[in-house]
Every structure is written in C-alpha cells, then in structure tokens.
Amino acid sequence: MATSQPAILPDAGPFSLYVVMKVVGNKDTVIEQCKSLHQTLAVLNEQQPGADLRASIAFGQSFWSSLEKGCPADFFDFRELGKGDITAPATGGDVLLHVNSSRHDLNFYLLRRFIEPMAKEIEVLDETYGFKYLDSRDMTEFVDGTENPKTIEARSDVALIKEGDFAGGSFVMVQRFIHNLPAWNRLSIQAQEKVIGRTKPDSIELDDVPAASHVGRVDIKEEGKGLKIVRHSLPYGSVTGEHGLLFIAYCSGQHNFNVMLESMYGESDGKSDQMLRFTKAVTGAYFFAPSVEMLDSL
Ligand code: HEM
C-alpha cells in the first residue's frame, strides 16, 4: 500500500503546529515547497535525534482540483452549520500543514524553512501552536482522546483510503475553537460531566449519557457500527488572550465528520451539543492529504 504522510498515524508528541494557507501567487512554487517538505523533515530528524518531527500536507478541494490529479470520491467543501449562537463558520484554505514533535522550537523552525521561499505566493489564514496540557486534557480539563483508536492498525483502518488511485491518502477536518472558560468554570463538576458525557477525573462514560452532551452527539452508530475518526487535537493559546482547542482529525472519507458535525450543530434531530455553549468555532475546513508517493508525483 502507498505510504501515508507521517503526522497521520503515530501518537503525536507534545507540541504541534497547524497552518492554513491560501495560495495567492505562483502555484508551482508552492507545490515545489510542499514536495520538498518530507526531505527537509528527514534531514532535521537526522540532525535532531529524539525530536520525532512529523508533518503532513493537505489540500483544499478547489486547489486540489486545479492540480488535475483527479478527485477522491465525494471530496466536498466544509459548509457553514448551525444557527443563533451555535454556529460553525466555513473559512476554507488551499494548503494545510500539520506538524507534531517533542519540540516546539523545531516546529517553528520547520515552518520558517517551509514558508520563506514561497512567502510572496501565500497568505496565512491561521497559524496555531498546540501543546499537550496536563494528562492529555482539553482546557475544559476533561481528558480528550479517550476513545481515539489506539493501535497503528486501528488508526490506519479508520484514517486511510484502502484502495484505488488515492490509497494511503486521508481526509482532514480542522476547526479552531475559542473557549469561554469563565462561563465553563461557573458550572459544578457534575454539570460539566453532563455536558461532556464522561466523568471529569478519569474520563469514564456516564451510565446515562445525555443526548445533548458532547459524547451523546458524536458517539454515533450506523448499522450497529460506531463511526470513528482519528483525532490529533491539542489545546492552544495564552491565558490572557484567546485559548481553546485546535480540533483536527483524519478519516478515510468525509462521511463520519459530516454526520458528527450535523449532530453537534442541531441539523440531524434539532438537538445541539451543549458543549458549544462554552466554546465557539472560528475556523472550519476540509482538506485531503495524499499519500507520500502521490505528493511526490505532483
Ligand atoms: C470525544 C472534547 C470537538 C468528535 C471527546 C471527549 C472530549 C472531547 C472531552 C471525551 C473523551 C474522548 O473520547 O476523547 C472536545 C472539545 C471539542 C471537541 C473540547 C471542541 C472544542 C469535537 C468535534 C468532533 C469531535 C468538532 C467531530 C466533528 C469526538 C469523537 C469523540 C469525542 C468522535 C469520541 C466519542 C466516543 O466514541 O465516545 N471530545 N471535542 N469532537 N469527540 Fe470531541
């Protein structure tokens, strides 16, 4: 099978970087930079043993279509969801760079090397640095990732396209959320647990998961089988400025993302995710991460 890009399957190190770019100039220069990324990674990993620097490059639907490489089935754009105070914007983007490692400085250094030769050709829509927080908690202080597929086999089963022209590729969903922690922290722990659907200290699923809790909205079965995605989200931000969760996940198709989003934003049965009263998405986009071989062939 074709090789998946390195940031997708392995458990990530404690630091990450997510950059969404729009191509405003010469497309060929951008593609050359994208193609050289994995070579740069190999050199840096050799020079900096133990950094476990991994990255993946993914492309938005219209940019990918312009490369004339064919389109993986059903590659569609993120659309705005929800109404009133609970909404998800669609903010787009042509290129997504996702990096993780055990060193924040190397993530930063890699981005500088990546962007410098093509700075005139792109506009950065979002550049966010994530970090592992406490024992893998989101800033709501609930453990995030408990139900994520664990083994490489399970992750590859969920995240990668298995056969055909796009084998080894993966779809990516990104949303940056800004939390309202003062409002969240006014809730008792018991009330917070009802909003999430799991216990706070040890992330055990509640006996009676409320339908409008986060887990109640995204733990969805179709024909008796749970819908799965591989999440690589991490908290980001500063104490006195914006902070929250950079949600990113990979899947072999967009269906699971779409069903989860429609359920969270009240579009499947009118119930929306109560967690969204305390956090707000400010970006939202879908991308496709081709296999390493396909990226090389662009
Ligand atoms: C589970 C937090 C956004 C999909 C969880 C859990 C937490 C959490 C605490 C329970 C522990 C776990 O299994 O990981 C958050 C926060 C979010 C967010 C703070 C944004 C601010 C999303 C989005 C999606 C999503 C946008 C998908 C569209 C899932 C899935 C699970 C999960 C699939 C596992 C459910 C299960 O099988 O029990 N999330 N999440 N989450 N979340 Fe989220």
Side-chain angles (χ1 to χ4, degrees):
M1 178 151 143
T3 320
S4 59
Q5 292 194 59
I8 303 176
L9 297 181
D11 220 3
F15 296 102
S16 62
L17 164 59
Y18 318 86
V19 192
V20 178
M21 292 160 256
K22 191 171 161 204
V23 178
V24 293
N26 188 322
K27 182 168 85 179
D28 297 337
T29 313
V30 176
I31 291 295
E32 282 318 305
Q33 269 311 92
C34 293
K35 287 170 69 169
S36 70
L37 177 77
H38 292 302
Q39 182 54 34
T40 311
L41 275 181
V43 173
L44 282 173
N45 277 318
E46 204 175 303
Q47 290 168 348
Q48 309 285 336
D52 292 329
L53 191 62
R54 302 188 179 104
S56 67
I57 286 278
F59 302 97
Q61 198 273 342
S62 63
F63 186 76
W64 179 263
S65 302
S66 77
L67 303 179
E68 295 177 357
K69 278 276 161 184
C71 239
D74 295 335
F75 185 7
F76 52 88
D77 267 334
F78 195 96
R79 67 175 175 91
E80 268 181 42
L81 291 139
K83 57 175 190 288
D85 288 340
I86 297 188
T87 52
T91 49
D94 294 324
V95 180
L96 165 76
L97 172 67
H98 172 205
V99 183
N100 58 57
S101 77
S102 60
R103 283 178 49 186
H104 176 69
D105 64 321
L106 282 186
N107 296 352
F108 187 91
Y109 180 76
L110 178 69
L111 181 63
R112 282 196 58 199
R113 295 264 310 259
F114 182 67
I115 282 191
E116 259 164 20
M118 61 170 187
K120 287 203 306 287
E121 323 302 341
I122 56 150
E123 186 189 311
V124 172
L125 302 181
D126 197 38
E127 176 182 343
T128 299
Y129 293 81
F131 52 87
K132 193 171 162 189
Y133 183 58
L134 306 171
D135 47 343
S136 296
R137 287 174 193 262
D138 166 66
M139 283 172 184
T140 54
E141 294 187 6
F142 277 74
V143 174
D144 190 15
T146 313
E147 289 298 326
N148 227 6
K150 295 284 177 300
T151 63
I152 291 285
E153 293 71 32
R155 284 166 174 261
S156 109
D157 192 43
V158 171
L160 304 184
I161 298 175
K162 308 288 166 311
E163 49 197 30
D165 294 348
F166 300 96
S170 186
F171 288 95
V172 199
M173 180 192 138
V174 181
Q175 273 186 304
R176 181 161 69 82
F177 287 89
I178 300 179
H179 289 358
N180 180 348
L181 292 181
W184 177 250
N185 290 327
R186 281 196 289 275
L187 296 186
S188 66
I189 291 184
Q190 210 190 16
Q192 290 180 347
E193 291 180 336
K194 288 205 167 94
V195 170
I196 298 294
R198 300 186 83 97
T199 59
K200 193 167 187 179
D202 39 16
S203 195
I204 293 169
E205 193 169 296
L206 302 186
D207 288 337
D208 200 3
V209 177
S213 67
H214 180 52
V215 170
R217 292 287 86 197
V218 294
D219 184 8
I220 299 169
K221 288 197 174 53
E222 279 180 354
E223 292 164 6
K225 215 169 157 244
L227 300 186
K228 295 280 175 195
I229 56 179
V230 173
R231 288 171 285 148
H232 276 288
S233 319
L234 281 181
Y236 74 90
S238 62
V239 171
T240 54
E242 284 180 358
H243 45 243
L245 187 77
L246 192 304
F247 178 91
I248 183 168
Y250 291 86
C251 196
S252 57
Q254 286 169 285
H255 175 79
N256 295 6
F257 297 138
N258 208 40
V259 173
M260 288 176 194
L261 283 170
E262 287 179 352
S263 169
M264 287 176 72
Y265 285 92
E267 299 205 352
S268 49
D269 57 2
K271 288 192 183 73
S272 52
D273 189 328
Q274 291 306 292
M275 183 185 75
L276 298 173
R277 290 166 44 219
F278 305 94
T279 187
K280 190 157 181 51
V282 291
T283 70
Y286 283 135
F287 299 90
F288 172 66
S291 66
V292 172
E293 292 80 1
M294 185 165 247
L295 182 63
D296 284 345
S297 76
L298 295 180

